Amino acid sequence: MAHTFSLQAHLPEDHAQATLIGRVWQPGVGPVLVKIDAEGAYDLTLIAATSSELLELDNPAAAVRAASNMTRIASLQELLDNADAGRRDTSRPWLLAPIDLQAVKASGVTFVASMLERVIEEQARGDAGKAESVRKAITAVIGDNLSSVVPGSPEAARLKEVLLEQGVWSQYLEVGIGPDAEIFTKAQPMSSVGLGDEVGIHPKSAWNNPEPEIVLAINSRGKVVGATLGNDVNLRDFEGRSALLLGKAKDNNASCAVGPFIRLFDANFSIDDVRRAELTMRVDGTEGFTLKGSSSMSMISRDPLQLVEHAIGPNHQYPDGLVLFLGTMFAPTQDRFGPGQGFTHQVADIVTISTPTLGALVNTVNFSDQTAPWTFGLTALFKNLANRKLI
């Protein structure tokens, strides 16, 4: 099932005011850091060789806006026309994920709705067929509205005592309303896929879903300098069987999508816009199935900057910076194949994640052992930059 990529869909609604960066694979050259606007992609390597290096500047947005004598690599529509991995002409440029050397971290259980679904996964032991009955039993005890509980507060501690007495305390409730946020490694640097690429699900997974999220771009000093979109693809059955399978549930080939661009913070876009963002998500299956969902950042349990403090600080340094997935309130329960079975992906699903200030990230689902193998890592990047005399 082919997808059409357009300027209107993938650029922010206010793109004329946005400072956007991305990465492009330029045949015969390699990965190139670029400035993005409606007219095209412009080579930024005179300013920085990598996305990570650019974000280390004191004011990345000002540096990008002030850049001059930039080489235009391609029109943006040309890049979008070559975005679909299934139809890609590798002799022409295409968009990559807009991150490179940064650590790829994620915060989990940051919304009440998804927190309850994690508890349900745990109680169902990863069996989708048991999810509905477990959901009813859990909500009968703890309800479905914990949004007034401030994580780490005295009220949260008292609630924990009550739930322990009732025998329904969970490791997911611990990180959802306890003092310590869940921060985990989602993927390795250079492994994320971008707009139009396939996203991977493990071939042995029978219960999985996309996770639409905003992703913060953070430099090595812990300063948030921009944001983008991400799909934190999740295997609900693997994680439900055991939390110790989180690595296998989260980090598989092509299981992390980021993009299409990083929007840098400036006078027109800030962390407050992230706090107000409304994400929408749509899954279109080849059999005619459609799933729609949303995730409102106003419902997040911990402020985005609090999550950043949990991810980077005196105990966690990232000299090349990091990106941080902020979590999602989206946990699909819509039945796809039969009553009580809930949602799971099928190969060739098209997943669209969007918000007006950041555009849209679109990917097609495949098994992780069938997606394009990850071959261009850190060593390849350093050799490429050295050959181009950029390091």
Side-chain angles (χ1 to χ4, degrees), residues 44-58:
L44 282 173
T45 49
L46 291 177
I47 298 176
T50 64
S51 169
S52 168
E53 183 183 8
L54 177 72
L55 301 186
E56 290 298 312
L57 300 178
D58 289 338

Side-chain angles (χ1 to χ4, degrees), residues 18-21 33-35 44 47-48 50-67 70 102 217-221 223-227 262-267:
T19 308
L20 302 172
I21 63 166
L33 183 69
V34 294
K35 173 185 176 181
L44 282 173
I47 298 176
T50 64
S51 169
S52 168
E53 183 183 8
L54 177 72
L55 301 186
E56 290 298 312
L57 300 178
D58 289 338
N59 190 333
V64 170
R65 289 196 301 271
M70 295 179 292
Q102 296 96 333
I218 307 160
N219 65 23
S220 65
R221 302 182 297 280
K223 180 181 179 182
V224 183
V225 293
I262 293 175
R263 182 168 184 174
L264 298 175
F265 285 174
D266 56 18

